Amino acid sequence: MVDVLALVEARLRTALGEPDARAAVTFLGTDRVEVLRFQDDSQDGTVVRYATLGMSAQPMSDPTAMLADPVAGPRAELVLSVRGGLADTDKVLRPLAVLAASPQVEGVVVAPGASLDVGEPLWPGAPFTSVLVAEPGGLVEDLELDAPLDPVRFLPLLPMTPNEAAWKRVHGAQALQERWLTNGTDLRDSSRRSVPLD
């Protein structure tokens, strides 16, 4: 059996560099989930990226299926990017691990366009309690696995304020992303305000 997580970590290192920290979280009845932290220093300042490692060990299965297929099914890891030094974003490790464990715990399939809510601020003082799952393929390319295994997709997470999350439920993910784009919203700003939604 192929070691999916070793391949996933290698892909993350290729795309994001060497992680400068990692933490592991284990929930009762689930596999261990690690969160790796990567720092990207550029002219715009430091961007900190958090990537889960462990969610893709098992395929996500349709919650309506009687039996989960141990091989076939979508696989994914989560990636969150924020500007460094503006907030204590390292406290996002546990909420990220909770989201990564949700397919095993709750039987959900995490896919682009979905909202994931942790029910508390993503980090201390954060104006966000939920994230929008964005389309993969930009920052970290999909990792192809040998058939019959599905590829691992690296899903970017975009923090949403409660107002944005409520607006998205009515108007949809595409409309919210267009609203962010139109307003030039810096989605990596860890303390940004809600985009105008009138």
Side-chain angles (χ1 to χ4, degrees):
M1 184 65 188
V2 62
D3 186 349
V4 172
L5 295 185
L7 296 174
V8 167
E9 183 167 354
R11 172 58 54 92
L12 286 169
R13 287 171 184 267
T14 300
L16 305 176
E18 285 299 307
D20 67 350
R22 62 194 306 152
V25 181
T26 307
F27 303 100
L28 193 63
T30 67
D31 296 333
R32 186 170 93 144
V33 174
E34 287 190 272
V35 179
L36 280 55
R37 185 182 72 187
F38 302 85
Q39 300 236 29
D40 180 6
D41 296 311
S42 68
Q43 296 164 335
D44 296 342
T46 302
V47 173
V48 184
R49 304 190 196 283
Y50 301 94
T52 63
L53 179 63
M55 183 176 171
S56 61
Q58 308 286 336
M60 294 182 276
S61 57
D62 182 341
T64 61
M66 291 297 287
L67 280 174
D69 190 318
V71 177
R75 294 173 189 259
E77 296 290 353
L78 308 175
V79 182
L80 173 72
S81 301
V82 293
R83 295 207 177 279
L86 302 176
D88 187 8
T89 54
D90 281 353
K91 295 285 196 307
V92 79
L93 298 178
R94 186 168 176 80
L96 268 184
V98 168
L99 296 178
S102 62
Q104 284 186 61
V105 175
E106 299 169 30
V108 296
V109 175
V110 177
S115 301
L116 304 175
D117 197 320
V118 295
E120 60 185 28
L122 291 175
W123 52 84
F128 320 106
T129 60
S130 62
V131 292
L132 175 65
V133 182
E135 291 290 337
L139 191 61
V140 185
E141 285 185 29
D142 292 355
L143 172 64
E144 297 293 335
L145 300 173
D146 292 337
L149 303 183
D150 285 28
V152 177
R153 304 169 86 198
F154 297 87
L155 301 172
L157 301 181
L158 308 176
M160 292 188 292
T161 66
N163 283 349
E164 290 170 340
W167 196 85
K168 180 252 172 192
R169 279 193 292 276
V170 175
H171 299 279
Q174 183 70 38
L176 178 59
Q177 288 180 293
E178 285 170 9
R179 185 61 62 107
W180 282 335
L181 199 59
T182 304
N183 285 273
T185 305
D186 180 1
L187 296 172
R188 295 174 182 164
D189 182 348
S190 57
S191 58
R192 71 173 179 83
R193 295 174 182 274
S194 184
V195 72
L197 298 169
D198 309 331

